[in-house]
Amino acid sequence: MSFLERSRVFAEPGWNRWLIPPAALAIHFSIGQAYAWSIFKIPLEKSLQISSTASALPFQIGILVLGLSAAFGGTLVEKKGPRWAMFVSLVTFSSGFLVASLGVATRSYWLVVLGYGVIGGIGLGIGYISPVSTLMKWFPDRPGMATGIAIMGFGGGALIASPWSASMLSAFGAGPGGIATTFLVHGLVYAVFMSLGVVLVRVPPENWRPTGWEPDSGTGGKLVTTANVSAKNAMRTYQFWLLWLVLCMNVTAGIGILEKASPMIQDFFRGTASPVSATAAAGFVALLSLANMTGRFVWSSVSDVIGRKNIYRLYLGGGALLYLTVLLGKSGSTALFVVSTMVILSFYGGGFATVPAYLKDLFGTYQVGAIHGRLLTAWSVAGVAGPEIVDALADSGKKAGHTGPGLYTFSFGLMIALLVVGFIANELVRPVNPRFHEPESAAQIETEHTPAERAVN
């Protein structure tokens, strides 16, 4: 399909770069549905006669495959270009829903896992990284803001998908037929919506820069390079692995709260003068989702002003202090608990949105999408570690007779330690040694055809 070839995606003269964020959002708002999977857990458990653990497996497999497909597919995404990547994401993510729909309709649980988890997970991973390098090439003056807009969509996708999915289950029924129809509608509608991104996305001409903008070599917290590093060489640098550790620690600290938010706040204030009901706890979860989404845009935009290293000092150092605040405050103030955890979740979201720009600052734009994909394996590790730490230690505390905040004292202390480790790793980040830089001529060869060749073709 020549329409998908990278040589056909160069922007025409005068193309408005502000059309690229909506193209990215069309993908990220769609694949962000993953955060709304919990809507289907109870209906699936009743319809397929499966356990709570089994109903979580399609989501867990999806996140695992997200990290793996981003890591292993990153280089191919860079080679084939953003339109090809967005199209692959569209096909796999939507097909995953269709296969899952068939699985529910035929009472085949493993077909649901295959569809939503494996096939749909590929769409999650390829779709997540597909617009990253393109956005930063269009917005070299504001890369944090640009990637923040797109990745905000992934964090906010559940705000649309949750009520939409719930309303369809209410209309079609929560039985096998209703769930299958809901999955079918999801697959078809998301395919149409994601096609907007496929059509709109463009790659800027070589060496394009915004009018009047010049690269900033950066000082202090702004470690900005004008050179380029390949994905292969990036993984040979200590900077890559320090950032891997930084992202892993930040995500572990945030996802530990996100995964257990509702029972956590109820545990904290159970038996106090201001207990938290299940309904209020659900509202708390919504507030955390809003903080997660907002932080992706706000903090990544701030990073364009103060630098990526400085903003991670805030995420990691500030996060550790907020965990300590919650730990010392215990069940004294509901407002303090809610505000502190919301800010922690805003740092969690901001870390996702800022790390592509941090990679660009260190390694250039040459293969930043592929480098980002490899770095997302930190997400896969953190996605297992964070919930495991909080859940396992809380269960252990209950067996030991602990209640209230005491269930989380050790896990919160461990989160503080992990954030300190991440803070130290961030402090050790320095500019990449020039021996890893690509020759300028090689870094400029990013397509099979130049714009001039495209004109001839």
Side-chain angles (χ1 to χ4, degrees):
M1 299 175 65
S2 61
F3 174 72
L4 300 178
E5 293 178 4
R6 184 160 188 171
S7 59
R8 297 286 302 274
V9 193
F10 282 105
E12 298 82 0
W15 184 263
N16 189 343
R17 65 174 178 165
W18 289 99
L19 291 174
I20 307 304
L25 279 171
I27 302 298
H28 274 245
F29 263 125
S30 298
I31 63 176
Q33 182 280 335
Y35 279 148
W37 175 254
S38 61
I39 297 295
F40 298 107
K41 280 177 61 66
I42 293 177
L44 283 172
E45 289 164 19
K46 293 179 178 179
S47 296
L48 301 183
Q49 299 297 303
I50 57 176
S51 67
S52 177
T53 301
S55 69
L57 188 61
F59 170 78
Q60 292 174 314
I61 295 295
I63 296 299
L64 176 64
V65 174
L66 183 159
L68 294 176
S69 61
F72 290 104
T75 301
L76 192 60
V77 168
E78 287 290 325
K79 179 180 178 181
K80 295 287 191 178
R83 180 173 290 167
W84 176 89
M86 289 179 175
F87 182 75
V88 170
S89 177
L90 181 162
V91 171
T92 51
F93 184 67
S94 298
S95 297
F97 268 113
L98 301 184
V99 173
S101 174
L102 179 62
V104 177
T106 59
R107 277 44 167 207
S108 175
Y109 166 72
W110 290 107
L111 203 54
V112 176
V113 175
L114 172 65
Y116 191 90
V118 179
I119 300 173
I122 294 172
L124 291 176
I126 299 300
Y128 192 88
I129 64 174
S130 62
V132 169
S133 63
T134 302
L135 280 164
M136 287 189 287
K137 287 169 186 172
W138 276 111
F139 292 89
D141 49 337
R142 286 175 280 184
M145 180 212 70
T147 54
I149 290 174
I151 294 176
M152 177 183 69
F154 189 86
L159 294 179
I160 297 173
S162 292
W164 182 41
S165 299
S167 64
M168 281 196 287
L169 288 174
S170 177
F172 300 139
I179 300 171
T181 302
T182 300
F183 280 170
L184 177 63
V185 173
H186 271 51
L188 297 177
V189 172
Y190 280 132
V192 173
F193 191 61
M194 293 172 77
S195 68
L196 296 176
V198 175
V199 172
L200 282 176
V201 72
R202 296 288 190 282
V203 174
E206 290 183 29
N207 302 318
W208 179 87
R209 293 178 181 174
T211 304
W213 176 82
E214 292 296 332
D216 178 11
S217 59
T219 58
K222 289 187 171 185
L223 304 173
V224 183
T225 184
T226 56
N228 289 282
V229 180
S230 68
K232 180 179 179 180
N233 279 338
M235 294 189 70
R236 296 167 55 198
T237 68
Y238 74 85
Q239 287 89 346
F240 174 88
W241 295 106
L242 285 175
L243 281 190
W244 191 98
L245 188 61
V246 165
L247 182 64
C248 188
M249 297 300 98
N250 191 58
V251 173
T252 300
I255 207 167
I257 289 178
L258 189 62
E259 185 269 343
K260 201 175 176 65
S262 178
M264 181 184 292
I265 192 171
Q266 293 179 74
D267 287 338
F268 252 79
F269 297 97
R270 184 172 285 116
T272 68
S274 54
V276 176
S277 67
T279 302
F284 171 62
V285 173
L287 287 176
L288 291 184
S289 297
L290 182 63
N292 176 14
M293 180 183 73
T294 305
R296 292 172 187 244
F297 175 70
V298 172
W299 296 125
S300 60
S301 297
V302 172
S303 77
D304 287 331
V305 179
I306 69 173
R308 253 59 74 172
K309 190 169 187 175
N310 283 332
I311 202 70
Y312 270 96
R313 285 170 173 150
L314 175 64
Y315 297 157
L316 299 159
L321 291 175
L322 286 166
Y323 260 111
L324 183 61
T325 299
V326 173
L327 198 57
L328 295 178
K330 296 186 177 179
S331 56
S333 171
T334 308
L336 179 65
F337 181 91
V338 171
V339 171
S340 297
T341 51
M342 283 183 67
V343 177
I344 291 172
L345 261 294
S346 78
F347 291 163
Y348 164 82
F352 276 121
T354 309
V355 79
Y358 207 161
L359 292 172
K360 176 259 183 188
D361 291 348
L362 288 170
F363 303 112
T365 59
Y366 174 43
Q367 291 187 340
V368 69
I371 299 170
H372 184 216
R374 287 160 170 77
L375 195 78
L376 288 180
T377 54
W379 186 2
S380 297
V381 173
V384 174
E388 186 65 23
I389 289 171
V390 176
D391 286 335
L393 291 178
D395 289 344
S396 177
K398 286 181 180 179
K399 291 179 181 179
H402 298 305
T403 59
L407 294 171
Y408 303 96
T409 300
F410 190 39
S411 61
F412 277 25
L414 186 55
M415 293 300 181
I416 293 172
L418 293 177
L419 287 168
V420 171
V421 170
F423 187 92
I424 294 171
N426 183 56
E427 290 302 303
L428 296 175
V429 174
R430 297 290 185 273
V432 175
N433 192 304
R435 70 189 178 91
F436 293 107
H437 293 171
E438 289 292 300
E440 185 176 348
S441 58
Q444 289 177 345
I445 303 174
E446 298 181 358
T447 62
E448 297 179 351
H449 301 284
T450 66
E453 291 172 327
R454 178 175 61 85
V456 173
N457 292 341

mmCIF file of all heavy atoms in Angstrom, residues 12 54 58 71 92 112 138 146 165 170 223 272 354 362 384 414 418 426 445 451:
data_model
loop_
_atom_site.group_PDB
_atom_site.id
_atom_site.type_symbol
_atom_site.label_atom_id
_atom_site.label_comp_id
_atom_site.label_asym_id
_atom_site.label_seq_id
_atom_site.Cartn_x
_atom_site.Cartn_y
_atom_site.Cartn_z
ATOM 1 N N GLU A 12 3.450 18.621 2.843
ATOM 2 C CA GLU A 12 3.463 19.567 1.746
ATOM 3 C C GLU A 12 3.900 20.937 2.264
ATOM 4 O O GLU A 12 3.791 21.224 3.459
ATOM 5 C CB GLU A 12 2.065 19.683 1.121
ATOM 6 C CG GLU A 12 1.531 18.394 0.516
ATOM 7 C CD GLU A 12 0.904 17.461 1.540
ATOM 8 O OE1 GLU A 12 0.890 17.826 2.744
ATOM 9 O OE2 GLU A 12 0.464 16.365 1.151
ATOM 10 N N ALA A 54 -8.617 -14.367 36.750
ATOM 11 C CA ALA A 54 -8.727 -14.692 35.331
ATOM 12 C C ALA A 54 -9.263 -13.516 34.521
ATOM 13 O O ALA A 54 -8.836 -13.281 33.386
ATOM 14 C CB ALA A 54 -9.627 -15.914 35.132
ATOM 15 N N PRO A 58 -6.525 -10.742 30.597
ATOM 16 C CA PRO A 58 -6.428 -10.066 29.295
ATOM 17 C C PRO A 58 -5.755 -8.698 29.392
ATOM 18 O O PRO A 58 -4.930 -8.337 28.531
ATOM 19 C CB PRO A 58 -7.899 -9.933 28.861
ATOM 20 C CG PRO A 58 -8.586 -11.055 29.549
ATOM 21 C CD PRO A 58 -7.910 -11.173 30.879
ATOM 22 N N ALA A 71 9.247 -2.409 22.523
ATOM 23 C CA ALA A 71 10.690 -2.639 22.557
ATOM 24 C C ALA A 71 11.195 -3.260 21.261
ATOM 25 O O ALA A 71 12.179 -2.795 20.676
ATOM 26 C CB ALA A 71 11.052 -3.530 23.744
ATOM 27 N N THR A 92 -4.457 -3.912 14.503
ATOM 28 C CA THR A 92 -4.300 -4.886 15.583
ATOM 29 C C THR A 92 -5.186 -4.557 16.788
ATOM 30 O O THR A 92 -5.799 -5.453 17.380
ATOM 31 C CB THR A 92 -2.832 -4.989 16.019
ATOM 32 O OG1 THR A 92 -2.317 -3.670 16.276
ATOM 33 C CG2 THR A 92 -1.991 -5.636 14.935
ATOM 34 N N VAL A 112 -10.635 -14.594 24.202
ATOM 35 C CA VAL A 112 -10.661 -13.221 24.726
ATOM 36 C C VAL A 112 -9.244 -12.783 25.084
ATOM 37 O O VAL A 112 -8.823 -11.658 24.781
ATOM 38 C CB VAL A 112 -11.583 -13.121 25.957
ATOM 39 C CG1 VAL A 112 -11.530 -11.709 26.548
ATOM 40 C CG2 VAL A 112 -13.008 -13.494 25.595
ATOM 41 N N TRP A 138 8.511 17.898 14.743
ATOM 42 C CA TRP A 138 7.681 19.060 14.427
ATOM 43 C C TRP A 138 7.776 20.135 15.505
ATOM 44 O O TRP A 138 7.538 21.316 15.243
ATOM 45 C CB TRP A 138 6.221 18.636 14.271
ATOM 46 C CG TRP A 138 5.842 18.101 12.928
ATOM 47 C CD1 TRP A 138 5.510 16.813 12.624
ATOM 48 C CD2 TRP A 138 5.740 18.815 11.699
ATOM 49 N NE1 TRP A 138 5.214 16.684 11.296
ATOM 50 C CE2 TRP A 138 5.344 17.913 10.698
ATOM 51 C CE3 TRP A 138 5.954 20.154 11.346
ATOM 52 C CZ2 TRP A 138 5.151 18.277 9.372
ATOM 53 C CZ3 TRP A 138 5.760 20.535 10.020
ATOM 54 C CH2 TRP A 138 5.366 19.601 9.056
ATOM 55 N N ALA A 146 4.626 18.811 23.303
ATOM 56 C CA ALA A 146 4.071 18.044 22.188
ATOM 57 C C ALA A 146 3.793 16.600 22.586
ATOM 58 O O ALA A 146 2.704 16.073 22.344
ATOM 59 C CB ALA A 146 5.025 18.100 20.990
ATOM 60 N N SER A 165 -18.407 2.503 27.739
ATOM 61 C CA SER A 165 -18.531 1.047 27.879
ATOM 62 C C SER A 165 -19.667 0.691 28.823
ATOM 63 O O SER A 165 -20.453 -0.228 28.551
ATOM 64 C CB SER A 165 -17.219 0.458 28.399
ATOM 65 O OG SER A 165 -16.153 0.716 27.512
ATOM 66 N N SER A 170 -25.125 -1.410 29.676
ATOM 67 C CA SER A 170 -26.473 -1.177 30.190
ATOM 68 C C SER A 170 -27.513 -1.334 29.091
ATOM 69 O O SER A 170 -28.597 -1.887 29.307
ATOM 70 C CB SER A 170 -26.552 0.225 30.796
ATOM 71 O OG SER A 170 -27.850 0.523 31.246
ATOM 72 N N LEU A 223 19.975 19.291 29.503
ATOM 73 C CA LEU A 223 21.003 18.524 28.806
ATOM 74 C C LEU A 223 20.513 18.261 27.396
ATOM 75 O O LEU A 223 19.915 17.232 27.116
ATOM 76 C CB LEU A 223 21.270 17.210 29.549
ATOM 77 C CG LEU A 223 21.665 17.338 31.029
ATOM 78 C CD1 LEU A 223 21.721 15.960 31.670
ATOM 79 C CD2 LEU A 223 22.992 18.039 31.172
ATOM 80 N N THR A 272 -12.206 5.513 61.737
ATOM 81 C CA THR A 272 -11.948 6.879 62.175
ATOM 82 C C THR A 272 -13.256 7.665 62.213
ATOM 83 O O THR A 272 -14.324 7.144 61.881
ATOM 84 C CB THR A 272 -10.960 7.583 61.233
ATOM 85 O OG1 THR A 272 -11.590 7.783 59.957
ATOM 86 C CG2 THR A 272 -9.702 6.747 61.042
ATOM 87 N N THR A 354 7.152 13.006 29.868
ATOM 88 C CA THR A 354 8.398 13.742 29.769
ATOM 89 C C THR A 354 9.548 12.893 29.253
ATOM 90 O O THR A 354 10.478 13.410 28.631
ATOM 91 C CB THR A 354 8.781 14.327 31.154
ATOM 92 O OG1 THR A 354 7.668 15.033 31.691
ATOM 93 C CG2 THR A 354 9.947 15.285 31.039
ATOM 94 N N LEU A 362 18.980 13.764 25.046
ATOM 95 C CA LEU A 362 20.232 13.027 25.195
ATOM 96 C C LEU A 362 20.703 12.361 23.909
ATOM 97 O O LEU A 362 21.901 12.321 23.624
ATOM 98 C CB LEU A 362 20.071 11.960 26.284
ATOM 99 C CG LEU A 362 19.993 12.461 27.728
ATOM 100 C CD1 LEU A 362 19.600 11.323 28.649
ATOM 101 C CD2 LEU A 362 21.318 13.059 28.169
ATOM 102 N N VAL A 384 4.389 -4.790 37.172
ATOM 103 C CA VAL A 384 4.311 -5.978 38.025
ATOM 104 C C VAL A 384 4.773 -5.637 39.438
ATOM 105 O O VAL A 384 4.134 -6.006 40.427
ATOM 106 C CB VAL A 384 5.182 -7.118 37.450
ATOM 107 C CG1 VAL A 384 5.210 -8.296 38.418
ATOM 108 C CG2 VAL A 384 4.655 -7.554 36.092
ATOM 109 N N LEU A 414 9.050 1.625 51.461
ATOM 110 C CA LEU A 414 9.809 1.055 50.343
ATOM 111 C C LEU A 414 9.692 1.936 49.110
ATOM 112 O O LEU A 414 10.665 2.126 48.369
ATOM 113 C CB LEU A 414 9.294 -0.360 50.045
ATOM 114 C CG LEU A 414 10.064 -1.170 49.004
ATOM 115 C CD1 LEU A 414 11.540 -1.257 49.362
ATOM 116 C CD2 LEU A 414 9.467 -2.573 48.888
ATOM 117 N N LEU A 418 12.667 3.619 46.859
ATOM 118 C CA LEU A 418 12.785 3.467 45.404
ATOM 119 C C LEU A 418 12.870 4.824 44.720
ATOM 120 O O LEU A 418 13.645 5.009 43.765
ATOM 121 C CB LEU A 418 11.587 2.680 44.872
ATOM 122 C CG LEU A 418 11.498 1.202 45.294
ATOM 123 C CD1 LEU A 418 10.227 0.575 44.742
ATOM 124 C CD2 LEU A 418 12.721 0.428 44.816
ATOM 125 N N ASN A 426 18.932 9.886 38.396
ATOM 126 C CA ASN A 426 18.727 11.085 37.587
ATOM 127 C C ASN A 426 19.892 12.069 37.762
ATOM 128 O O ASN A 426 20.319 12.720 36.794
ATOM 129 C CB ASN A 426 17.415 11.753 37.979
ATOM 130 C CG ASN A 426 17.090 12.975 37.144
ATOM 131 O OD1 ASN A 426 17.027 12.912 35.922
ATOM 132 N ND2 ASN A 426 16.893 14.113 37.800
ATOM 133 N N ILE A 445 19.821 10.334 6.929
ATOM 134 C CA ILE A 445 19.164 9.381 6.031
ATOM 135 C C ILE A 445 18.102 8.639 6.817
ATOM 136 O O ILE A 445 18.351 7.580 7.385
ATOM 137 C CB ILE A 445 20.180 8.391 5.419
ATOM 138 C CG1 ILE A 445 21.267 9.150 4.673
ATOM 139 C CG2 ILE A 445 19.472 7.422 4.479
ATOM 140 C CD1 ILE A 445 22.383 8.265 4.170
ATOM 141 N N PRO A 451 12.339 14.160 -0.077
ATOM 142 C CA PRO A 451 11.203 14.882 -0.635
ATOM 143 C C PRO A 451 11.356 15.112 -2.145
ATOM 144 O O PRO A 451 10.383 15.068 -2.892
ATOM 145 C CB PRO A 451 11.215 16.200 0.138
ATOM 146 C CG PRO A 451 11.832 15.844 1.449
ATOM 147 C CD PRO A 451 12.874 14.835 1.108
#
